Amino acid sequence: MPIIIGVIASLTSLILMNILAPLSSIAIVLLYVLYYGGYGMCFGSLMTSGLITLSKANHAQGNAIFNTLQQFSGALGTALAGTLIAIAQNNHVGNGTAIGSKWTFMVLLVLIIVNLVLALVFVPKKKSK
């Protein structure tokens, strides 16, 4: 359940960022907290679930793999966001940063929707007794 709730929290945050833009500073902070709160809830639960399937001897390697993938994904996401914003700045004088940020939010929105679908399909459901 924390996995689905986390994905939905992140998805809700991104939808609100897209719909309500431009946002005040406090709205950005609150939606950012909601986004990363959902991300943390989801990733922490997935990591715990994945490590449970490993033997105790392999927990360190599994943890290293999860952390490496998380860092690589963060670097890739930062590079993608920077690229989209730079393209928008080069092609739209004046409001290029806002347009590039909007593109970045749209890409994140698509990725979160894919994440939700994958979570609904592949995350095991509790069986009723």
Side-chain angles (χ1 to χ4, degrees):
M1 195 60 137
I3 295 168
I4 302 298
I5 291 172
V7 173
I8 290 173
S10 293
L11 178 63
T12 302
S13 172
L14 284 175
I15 289 171
L16 290 173
M17 284 183 196
N18 277 300
I19 291 173
L20 302 176
L23 298 168
S24 67
S25 296
I26 191 72
I28 291 170
V29 168
L30 293 174
L31 290 173
Y32 186 79
V33 167
L34 180 63
Y35 177 79
Y36 273 101
Y39 169 80
M41 186 185 303
C42 180
F43 186 79
S45 296
L46 285 171
M47 186 171 167
T48 301
S49 177
L51 290 175
I52 286 173
T53 63
L54 298 176
S55 67
K56 279 231 188 251
N58 291 327
H59 275 202
Q61 289 84 3
N63 193 29
I65 290 170
F66 271 110
N67 286 324
T68 301
L69 289 173
Q70 186 178 26
Q71 290 175 5
F72 180 73
S73 298
L76 184 65
T78 301
L80 176 63
T83 301
L84 290 173
I85 291 171
I87 290 170
Q89 288 173 337
N90 287 335
N91 294 326
H92 298 82
V93 177
N95 61 350
T97 302
I99 292 170
S101 297
K102 188 82 163 175
W103 292 348
T104 301
F105 285 138
M106 292 296 202
V107 169
L108 280 173
L109 191 61
V110 169
L111 292 174
I112 293 270
I113 290 169
V114 169
N115 187 0
L116 179 61
V117 170
L118 291 173
L120 289 172
V121 171
F122 291 108
V123 172
K125 317 293 184 277
K126 267 193 170 179
K127 295 179 182 173
S128 57
K129 296 180 179 185

